[in-house]
Amino acid sequence: QSALTQPASVSGSPGQSITISCTGTSSDIGAFNYVSWYQQHPGKAPKLMIYDVSNRPSGVSNRFSGSKSGTTASLTISGLQAEDEADYYCSSYTITSPWVFGGGTKLTVL
Amino acid sequence: QVQLVQSEAEVKRPGASVKVSCRASGYSFTDDYIHWVRQAPGKGLEWVGRINHKSGGTNYAQKFQGRMILTSDTSINTAYMELRRLRSDDTATYYCARVTVGTTCFDPWGQGTPVTVSS
């Protein structure tokens, strides 16, 4: 069982917005602002999309945004495009592990 | 640009060992950490461990303590992950990833090395 909980799947139509949640505990997401999000297309390595809860690396579209409330972090993708269809993983620094990932969310663009 | 290039796929018998390499370029290798993350077929990501190249210090996920060894050769900017006493559930793609000192995010990632453990 993954330490962080994500929905198994989400879907949306082109142009719409979707949000993926990532629920942790007071030992990880609740303790630090060190949540990051990764996009993974089939057969490819993960790619960093958001770091430190809400920061975008250079080159990542501003359609991707992140936030956190308590022990739950969220990734929002606005203006959905076909190329956004992928698996998304959250990750957090933790007091114990010290890094943990979510189980992953499959995004389908309808 | 910053790049991590990993060694090719491996097939091993149960009980054997495997050593995967990760060659870095485009940045000062000793300034940052290399982390290892694995992904079993059809499954999610799992943090495995990390190495500090300057000190040689390592940290491992508890489940790999005693079976995994992370090393690096700073003369050729290459990190290594060795996993011993392989089991069938070690079958996975193993990724290396850079973590810049002072940050906690993995960027970039290597292309991944599939390791298959089968009798």
Side-chain angles (χ1 to χ4, degrees):
Chain A
Q1 185 174 355
S2 300
L4 304 178
T5 301
Q6 299 181 233
S9 63
V10 297
S11 62
S13 300
Q16 289 185 331
S17 295
I18 64 95
T19 296
I20 299 172
S21 62
C22 172
T23 302
T25 69
S26 57
S27 296
D28 39 66
I29 292 177
F32 308 101
N33 287 324
Y34 294 144
V35 178
S36 49
W37 290 90
Y38 302 87
Q39 176 191 66
Q40 186 179 35
H41 287 109
K44 300 295 186 181
K47 174 188 174 184
L48 177 67
M49 304 302 285
I50 295 288
Y51 68 95
D52 293 353
V53 175
S54 60
N55 294 296
R56 268 189 318 275
S58 62
V60 172
S61 170
N62 60 9
R63 296 186 299 105
F64 291 82
S65 62
S67 62
K68 188 188 93 165
S69 178
T71 58
T72 298
S74 299
L75 172 71
T76 297
I77 309 174
S78 59
L80 267 181
Q81 299 179 0
E83 69 208 46
D84 299 331
E85 185 162 293
D87 294 328
Y88 290 84
Y89 293 90
C90 60
S91 174
S92 176
Y93 184 74
T94 83
I95 292 173
T96 54
S97 182
W99 271 265
V100 291
F101 287 94
T105 298
K106 181 177 180 60
L107 169 62
T108 300
V109 180
L110 302 171
Chain B
Q1 77 280 20
V2 177
Q3 194 173 13
L4 301 176
V5 178
Q6 299 183 223
S7 49
E8 297 298 313
E10 300 265 12
V11 179
K12 296 291 183 181
R13 301 292 191 195
S17 298
V18 69
K19 192 169 186 177
V20 177
S21 68
C22 170
R23 177 169 50 84
S25 60
Y27 72 99
S28 179
F29 182 68
T30 54
D31 283 352
D32 299 326
Y33 294 85
I34 287 289
H35 289 234
W36 293 85
V37 176
R38 78 176 186 179
Q39 185 172 36
K43 302 296 184 182
L45 302 172
E46 179 180 28
W47 185 79
V48 169
R50 70 167 176 179
I51 182 166
N52 178 325
H53 309 298
K54 277 186 179 175
S55 67
T58 55
N59 299 97
Y60 302 100
Q62 190 168 6
K63 67 185 293 184
F64 298 106
Q65 298 269 5
R67 263 201 326 134
M68 179 162 292
I69 301 175
L70 301 182
T71 57
S72 62
D73 185 340
T74 56
S75 68
I76 55 172
N77 291 353
T78 300
Y80 301 93
M81 181 213 68
E82 181 178 9
L83 187 57
R84 300 176 172 178
R85 302 191 298 279
L86 288 168
R87 308 187 297 246
S88 58
D89 61 358
D90 290 319
T91 294
T93 295
Y94 290 77
Y95 294 98
C96 62
R98 172 197 183 194
V99 174
T100 301
V101 169
T103 72
T104 61
C105 55
F106 306 98
D107 182 45
W109 297 60
Q111 83 275 22
T113 297
V115 174
T116 302
V117 183
S118 174
S119 55

